Amino acid sequence: MAVSPPSPAHLSRTPADRPVYVIGAGPGGLATAYALRARGIRAVVLEKDDRVGASWRRHYDRLHLHTTRRLSALPGLPMPRRFGRWVSRDDVVRYLEKYTEHHELEIVTGVEVFRIERSGDGEGWLLHASGGRELTGSAVVVATGYNHTPKVPEWPGLDGYGGDFLHAGRYRNAEPYAGRDVLVVGVGNTGAEIAVDLVAGGAARVRLAVRTVPHLVRRSILGWAAQYTGVLVRRLPVRLVDRLARPLARLTVPDLSAHGLPRPDTGCYTRVGEGAIPVQDVGLIDAVRTGKVDIVAAVEGFEDGKVVLADGSRISPDAVIAATGYVQALEGLVGHLGVLDGRGRPVVHGSRTPADAPGLYFTGFTNPISGMFRELALDARRIARAVAAAVSGAGADSRRR
């Protein structure tokens, strides 16, 4: 059952009359703001762009959630049935706009937070933001997003490449590539889907450069979504899940070894622990099997206007699209607080806060097989519960003093 948010007049004030600041108006930030508000805690969302869901607005046109509509809703508002089972990018944006309006969330757009540090009195957090703003909050939730800053490998010779080059974050649709030879670099879910989109959009040739062969899974089998399996196995032993996944893969995914995609040597769930999510098939399997997408070796660099591959071959595509991932770019924001690991990701997430940074929360910096939106919804409730407990404890301490 949805919890009706309290009216503004009934929102409690956090210690020293400071709100909880949520950085980022994507699904994670909006869900957390609602969950806090539902517990009577004032939450102010700071968004550097001029609208909510900015990163979703920039995704490629054909993108749909790989998770089901029913398991992708945020707390307090179901996704409309008319969106279908696999929700489109545009409908995700519509949903986030409606979510903000429905819950009357307090959003401040056009404000970018550059640095977070402890407040002078040690009882909150000081945010340094654009326009010379200094904002003090009782707690801070960082929800700036998993796909924050495009990452492009430092390939030698890239500056001299004469064809079109762009990161997948700037790809919108196949129209500019009709009749052209295109190389997609990276076989994660984004690279796989862009390759399929290029084929459908009339590219003359599509090649997909692969460094590490991925696990391929069907998005749905006889109505059973892959996400359901991800939810069921999330807390099972890794070796057990690996063992169960092998026969399922052989039954549902053809052997593509002859086409350059052999079955991976390492287990599916082992790969998940290493940060590699299985590729959900939205047409790649058939495209590879029918020769519409050619698998080639990984890119090693560029030379004399050509792309140099790991097997020593050189190719001359008209365009290269790098589906090479993102970095979270949190170093300037919180790197000085000792809360990031060696890969620049938060050492904790959800309701947990770093030992040396109580009141600092992170959400949306993992890539779970059970579904990002689902986990963001769970994190939102957990964070709100933790903040409410901290506020209650602070109030009790104040009364004792």
Side-chain angles (χ1 to χ4, degrees), residues 244-262:
L244 294 173
R246 289 190 192 101
L248 179 62
R250 289 190 175 91
L251 283 172
T252 59
V253 177
D255 185 359
L256 299 174
S257 300
H259 303 280
L261 284 180

Side-chain angles (χ1 to χ4, degrees), residues 140-214:
V140 176
V141 182
V142 180
T144 50
Y146 190 83
N147 295 339
H148 187 275
T149 301
K151 177 178 66 177
V152 176
E154 295 182 358
W155 285 310
L158 176 57
D159 291 343
Y161 175 60
D164 293 340
F165 180 90
L166 74 158
H167 186 273
R170 292 171 49 213
Y171 177 86
R172 294 295 171 268
N173 56 58
E175 184 176 349
Y177 307 99
R180 303 178 72 192
D181 182 345
V182 187
L183 172 67
V184 180
V185 184
V187 69
N189 279 291
T190 297
E193 190 155 1
I194 288 176
V196 172
D197 193 44
L198 288 165
V199 169
R205 184 176 188 180
V206 179
R207 285 176 280 203
L208 184 59
V210 176
R211 184 173 299 277
T212 303
V213 178

